[in-house]
Amino acid sequence: MIRDVTINDAQQIVNIYNYYVLNSIVTLDLVPFSIQDFEEKINAISSQFPFIVFEEKNQILGYAYANTFRTKPAYKNTVELTVYIDHENLGKQIGKKLYTELIMQLKKQKYHVLIGGLTLPNDASVKLHENFGFEKVAHFKEVGYKFNAWYDVGFWQLTL
């Protein structure tokens, strides 16, 4: 089931996210988040943008949301997307289902451009974005440093 996030989801969401903080370059965050951090994030984002979860048997297996791309008013019709899937549930098309719903909601809300920022390499996320019609529009070399190595960041764009 895909549904809107609630504050009660914070614990499960932070567990999903912190796995990637500690074990992956998918996020360039270096320090795990607290439940309170994610409660604040949920409140801030969901009050302005779609923030959805994929739930099965009362367990959140993934989440996705839109957020501010840049703070200047001229960017108000552009959003940056985020999607994370529980690492034990990868390969089950959960990201595709979440993105399908998220993009549908954003179209209804009349957003114009969707941006996906990806730490590279990340073949699964590149494939997800390109399957939805996103095109690579930027590539920044060695801008993130994690696990004693430099990583590139790419940006994919979809115009609705």
Short mmCIF file of all heavy atoms in Angstrom, two decimals, residues 1 3 13-14 17 21 37 50 52 70 72 74 88-89 93 106 115 133 139 141 143 145 157:
data_model
loop_
_atom_site.label_atom_id
_atom_site.label_comp_id
_atom_site.label_asym_id
_atom_site.label_seq_id
_atom_site.Cartn_x
_atom_site.Cartn_y
_atom_site.Cartn_z
N MET A 1 0.84 -1.18 0.00
CA MET A 1 0.00 0.00 0.00
C MET A 1 0.89 1.24 0.00
O MET A 1 1.86 1.32 0.73
CB MET A 1 -0.89 -0.01 1.25
CG MET A 1 -1.58 1.30 1.54
SD MET A 1 -2.69 1.30 2.95
CE MET A 1 -1.57 1.23 4.32
N ARG A 3 0.80 5.23 0.80
CA ARG A 3 -0.01 6.19 1.54
C ARG A 3 0.86 7.38 1.92
O ARG A 3 2.09 7.34 1.82
CB ARG A 3 -0.60 5.55 2.79
CG ARG A 3 0.44 5.04 3.77
CD ARG A 3 -0.17 4.69 5.11
NE ARG A 3 0.79 4.10 6.02
CZ ARG A 3 1.70 4.77 6.73
NH1 ARG A 3 1.81 6.08 6.61
NH2 ARG A 3 2.52 4.14 7.55
N ILE A 13 11.42 5.01 8.96
CA ILE A 13 12.09 5.76 7.90
C ILE A 13 13.54 6.04 8.26
O ILE A 13 14.44 5.87 7.43
CB ILE A 13 11.32 7.06 7.59
CG1 ILE A 13 9.99 6.72 6.91
CG2 ILE A 13 12.15 7.99 6.72
CD1 ILE A 13 9.08 7.90 6.71
N VAL A 14 13.79 6.43 9.49
CA VAL A 14 15.17 6.71 9.89
C VAL A 14 16.01 5.42 9.85
O VAL A 14 17.19 5.46 9.50
CB VAL A 14 15.24 7.42 11.26
CG1 VAL A 14 15.07 6.48 12.43
CG2 VAL A 14 16.55 8.19 11.40
N TYR A 17 16.92 4.98 6.16
CA TYR A 17 17.89 5.97 5.71
C TYR A 17 19.27 5.76 6.34
O TYR A 17 20.30 5.82 5.65
CB TYR A 17 17.39 7.38 6.01
CG TYR A 17 18.25 8.43 5.37
CD1 TYR A 17 18.24 8.61 3.99
CD2 TYR A 17 19.09 9.23 6.13
CE1 TYR A 17 19.04 9.56 3.39
CE2 TYR A 17 19.89 10.19 5.52
CZ TYR A 17 19.87 10.34 4.16
OH TYR A 17 20.67 11.28 3.56
N VAL A 21 23.31 5.77 5.16
CA VAL A 21 24.31 6.69 5.70
C VAL A 21 25.56 5.91 6.11
O VAL A 21 26.69 6.29 5.81
CB VAL A 21 23.75 7.48 6.90
CG1 VAL A 21 24.86 8.29 7.59
CG2 VAL A 21 22.62 8.40 6.47
N ASP A 37 15.25 14.08 14.27
CA ASP A 37 15.64 14.70 13.00
C ASP A 37 14.62 14.37 11.92
O ASP A 37 14.21 15.24 11.16
CB ASP A 37 17.01 14.18 12.53
CG ASP A 37 18.16 14.62 13.40
OD1 ASP A 37 18.07 15.69 14.04
OD2 ASP A 37 19.17 13.88 13.44
N PRO A 50 4.36 16.43 -1.51
CA PRO A 50 4.01 15.03 -1.29
C PRO A 50 5.16 14.27 -0.62
O PRO A 50 6.33 14.44 -0.99
CB PRO A 50 3.77 14.49 -2.70
CG PRO A 50 3.53 15.69 -3.55
CD PRO A 50 4.33 16.80 -2.92
N ILE A 52 5.40 10.24 0.61
CA ILE A 52 4.65 8.99 0.64
C ILE A 52 5.52 7.83 1.09
O ILE A 52 6.75 7.89 1.01
CB ILE A 52 4.03 8.68 -0.74
CG1 ILE A 52 5.10 8.63 -1.83
CG2 ILE A 52 2.95 9.72 -1.07
CD1 ILE A 52 4.59 8.25 -3.22
N ARG A 70 15.56 24.80 -4.98
CA ARG A 70 16.31 25.97 -4.54
C ARG A 70 15.31 26.92 -3.90
O ARG A 70 14.13 26.88 -4.21
CB ARG A 70 17.03 26.65 -5.71
CG ARG A 70 18.10 25.76 -6.30
CD ARG A 70 18.91 26.51 -7.29
NE ARG A 70 20.32 26.26 -6.97
CZ ARG A 70 21.31 26.92 -7.51
NH1 ARG A 70 21.08 27.89 -8.36
NH2 ARG A 70 22.54 26.63 -7.19
N LYS A 72 15.02 30.31 -3.99
CA LYS A 72 14.59 31.55 -4.65
C LYS A 72 13.21 31.33 -5.27
O LYS A 72 12.93 30.27 -5.84
CB LYS A 72 15.60 31.97 -5.71
CG LYS A 72 16.93 32.37 -5.09
CD LYS A 72 17.95 32.73 -6.13
CE LYS A 72 19.26 33.05 -5.42
NZ LYS A 72 20.35 33.31 -6.35
N ALA A 74 11.72 32.07 -7.95
CA ALA A 74 11.61 31.69 -9.36
C ALA A 74 11.70 30.18 -9.57
O ALA A 74 11.30 29.68 -10.63
CB ALA A 74 12.69 32.40 -10.17
N GLU A 88 16.82 -4.51 2.43
CA GLU A 88 16.45 -5.93 2.34
C GLU A 88 15.31 -6.16 1.35
O GLU A 88 14.93 -7.31 1.12
CB GLU A 88 16.08 -6.47 3.72
CG GLU A 88 17.26 -6.50 4.68
CD GLU A 88 16.88 -7.00 6.06
OE1 GLU A 88 15.68 -7.24 6.32
OE2 GLU A 88 17.80 -7.14 6.88
N ASN A 89 14.78 -5.09 0.78
CA ASN A 89 13.65 -5.21 -0.14
C ASN A 89 13.93 -4.59 -1.50
O ASN A 89 12.99 -4.23 -2.22
CB ASN A 89 12.41 -4.58 0.50
CG ASN A 89 11.87 -5.44 1.62
OD1 ASN A 89 11.17 -6.41 1.37
ND2 ASN A 89 12.22 -5.12 2.85
N GLN A 93 10.59 -3.64 -7.24
CA GLN A 93 9.87 -2.59 -7.96
C GLN A 93 9.18 -1.57 -7.03
O GLN A 93 8.27 -0.86 -7.45
CB GLN A 93 8.83 -3.20 -8.92
CG GLN A 93 9.43 -4.17 -9.93
CD GLN A 93 10.40 -3.49 -10.88
OE1 GLN A 93 10.06 -2.51 -11.52
NE2 GLN A 93 11.62 -4.00 -10.96
N LEU A 106 2.65 15.10 -8.32
CA LEU A 106 3.32 16.34 -8.71
C LEU A 106 2.73 16.92 -9.99
O LEU A 106 2.63 18.14 -10.13
CB LEU A 106 4.82 16.11 -8.82
CG LEU A 106 5.50 15.79 -7.49
CD1 LEU A 106 6.91 15.26 -7.72
CD2 LEU A 106 5.50 17.00 -6.57
N ILE A 115 13.70 17.09 -10.42
CA ILE A 115 15.16 16.89 -10.43
C ILE A 115 15.50 15.70 -9.53
O ILE A 115 14.97 15.58 -8.42
CB ILE A 115 15.90 18.13 -9.89
CG1 ILE A 115 15.54 19.39 -10.67
CG2 ILE A 115 17.41 17.90 -9.83
CD1 ILE A 115 16.08 19.44 -12.07
N GLY A 133 11.86 8.69 -17.89
CA GLY A 133 12.06 9.74 -18.87
C GLY A 133 12.97 10.87 -18.42
O GLY A 133 13.14 11.86 -19.14
N HIS A 139 26.78 16.86 -14.43
CA HIS A 139 27.68 15.90 -13.81
C HIS A 139 28.82 16.68 -13.14
O HIS A 139 29.59 17.35 -13.81
CB HIS A 139 28.26 14.95 -14.87
CG HIS A 139 29.02 13.81 -14.27
ND1 HIS A 139 28.66 12.51 -14.52
CD2 HIS A 139 30.09 13.74 -13.45
CE1 HIS A 139 29.49 11.70 -13.88
NE2 HIS A 139 30.37 12.44 -13.22
N LYS A 141 32.15 16.43 -10.89
CA LYS A 141 33.18 15.43 -10.59
C LYS A 141 33.81 15.66 -9.22
O LYS A 141 34.17 16.78 -8.87
CB LYS A 141 34.25 15.44 -11.68
CG LYS A 141 33.67 15.02 -13.01
CD LYS A 141 34.72 14.96 -14.09
CE LYS A 141 34.02 14.58 -15.37
NZ LYS A 141 34.80 13.75 -16.21
N VAL A 143 32.86 15.81 -6.09
CA VAL A 143 32.35 16.84 -5.19
C VAL A 143 31.96 16.31 -3.82
O VAL A 143 31.72 17.10 -2.90
CB VAL A 143 31.15 17.60 -5.82
CG1 VAL A 143 31.60 18.39 -7.04
CG2 VAL A 143 30.02 16.64 -6.17
N TYR A 145 32.92 13.54 -0.60
CA TYR A 145 33.99 12.72 -0.03
C TYR A 145 33.41 11.86 1.09
O TYR A 145 32.88 12.40 2.08
CB TYR A 145 35.11 13.60 0.50
CG TYR A 145 36.35 12.84 0.91
CD1 TYR A 145 37.23 12.37 -0.06
CD2 TYR A 145 36.63 12.59 2.25
CE1 TYR A 145 38.37 11.68 0.31
CE2 TYR A 145 37.77 11.90 2.62
CZ TYR A 145 38.64 11.44 1.65
OH TYR A 145 39.76 10.74 2.00
N GLN A 157 16.83 15.29 -14.97
CA GLN A 157 15.70 16.21 -15.01
C GLN A 157 14.57 15.62 -15.84
O GLN A 157 14.80 15.02 -16.90
CB GLN A 157 16.14 17.53 -15.63
CG GLN A 157 15.01 18.50 -15.88
CD GLN A 157 15.51 19.81 -16.48
OE1 GLN A 157 16.59 20.28 -16.17
NE2 GLN A 157 14.70 20.39 -17.36
#
